[in-house]
Amino acid sequence: MEKRGLIFDMDGVILDSEIRYFEVHQQMFNTLSIPLDPVQYATFMGKTGDEMWEELVTEHQLQETASALLEEEHRLFQIHAKPEECGLKEGVKQVIEQAVALGYDIGIASSSSLQKIERVIRHYELPITHYVSGEEVVRSKPDPAIFRLAASRIGHAPENCLVIEDAANGMIGAKAAGMEVIALLDDRMPMQRLEQADHVARSHAEIEEIL
């Protein structure tokens, strides 16, 4: 493949964290008496937490504010979804090593905070020096801005970049930026819409075959 920029989403692609977030949200939804619709939940993945809670507060006319729910979410994540305890997705280090050997320039485009991205890179000793957080753009995924900025940081035009995403919002943003998209599936999570995916992989081993 001639693409020479490779951009990873972080949660659910590098870090095996989405399943833990899902379990925390199941707990919070139950406490708030909100039905957890898998189809709707899939639309939240890849977005920032405040966007999800603002939508749910309005839809269900909750007494709690979105900011208060976001604060509680962060508190529970620190208990149940610490990055150091989530572990990496199986095979991701091998994909990174192969990509480096093939001459790809690698970056991360994540809706997570800069502090968390740097924490993950440092703890797992990932050979990645270029990354973009949703904090750095006016609108995060599915807006394409985060991907365009990531392409700039790894020194490639968007059309020369390949993106690995697990969430439809990320796939939409990457395609809108003019990039090629690999969808990474996870049978433990609500199914994502795949219209924007150029390739579909069920594991990082399958991604190795695509590169």
Side-chain angles (χ1 to χ4, degrees):
M1 183 173 288
E2 293 301 317
K3 305 290 182 182
R4 281 295 171 256
L6 182 60
I7 298 172
F8 288 78
D9 175 36
M10 188 174 74
D11 291 297
V13 173
I14 293 177
L15 191 68
D16 194 15
S17 50
E18 286 290 3
I19 186 63
R20 299 206 184 198
Y21 299 159
F22 186 44
E23 291 166 352
V24 166
H25 288 143
Q26 285 178 309
Q27 176 185 334
M28 292 185 69
F29 280 36
N30 184 58
T31 300
L32 294 165
S33 298
I34 297 175
L36 198 157
D37 176 1
V39 175
Q40 183 186 37
Y41 188 83
T43 69
F44 296 142
M45 291 176 61
K47 291 184 175 180
T48 55
D50 55 341
E51 291 177 294
M52 179 184 80
W53 290 117
E54 285 168 5
E55 181 176 328
L56 290 171
V57 165
T58 300
E59 178 182 346
H60 296 282
Q61 298 181 326
L62 300 177
Q63 293 184 344
E64 296 84 352
T65 65
S67 60
L69 291 168
L70 184 64
E71 184 176 339
E72 174 64 5
E73 175 192 89
H74 287 167
R75 185 186 73 80
L76 291 171
F77 281 177
Q78 284 301 309
I79 298 171
H80 303 290
K82 291 180 180 177
E84 295 82 1
E85 296 176 0
C86 289
L88 296 178
K89 294 284 284 190
E90 184 178 356
V92 68
K93 277 204 167 182
Q94 289 88 335
V95 169
I96 293 171
E97 290 170 3
Q98 181 194 30
V100 170
L102 291 172
Y104 282 91
D105 294 304
I106 298 173
I108 291 174
S110 173
S111 295
S112 289
S113 67
L114 279 171
Q115 185 270 341
K116 181 179 176 184
I117 295 170
E118 292 169 350
R119 184 174 168 184
V120 169
I121 290 172
R122 182 170 58 251
H123 180 76
Y124 293 103
E125 300 180 338
L126 301 177
I128 299 174
T129 56
H130 302 292
Y131 45 87
V132 181
S133 162
E135 295 176 335
E136 298 181 84
V137 290
V138 175
R139 296 183 62 190
S140 193
K141 305 171 187 179
D143 192 275
I146 191 170
F147 293 103
R148 291 175 179 146
L149 184 54
S152 173
R153 288 188 178 169
I154 61 174
H156 289 278
E159 60 268 23
N160 293 329
C161 292
L162 182 62
V163 175
I164 306 173
E165 266 286 353
D166 68 320
N169 285 314
M171 299 176 210
I172 293 167
K175 287 302 289 186
M179 301 179 179
E180 190 169 347
V181 176
I182 300 174
L184 179 62
L185 305 185
D186 187 334
D187 292 337
R188 302 169 299 172
M189 297 297 298
M191 184 63 184
Q192 297 289 314
R193 299 187 64 163
L194 302 174
E195 293 94 336
Q196 303 298 320
D198 298 290
H199 312 273
V200 177
R202 294 191 172 275
S203 67
H204 281 286
E206 291 185 13
I207 292 175
E208 286 189 69
E209 298 175 7
I210 296 169
L211 296 180

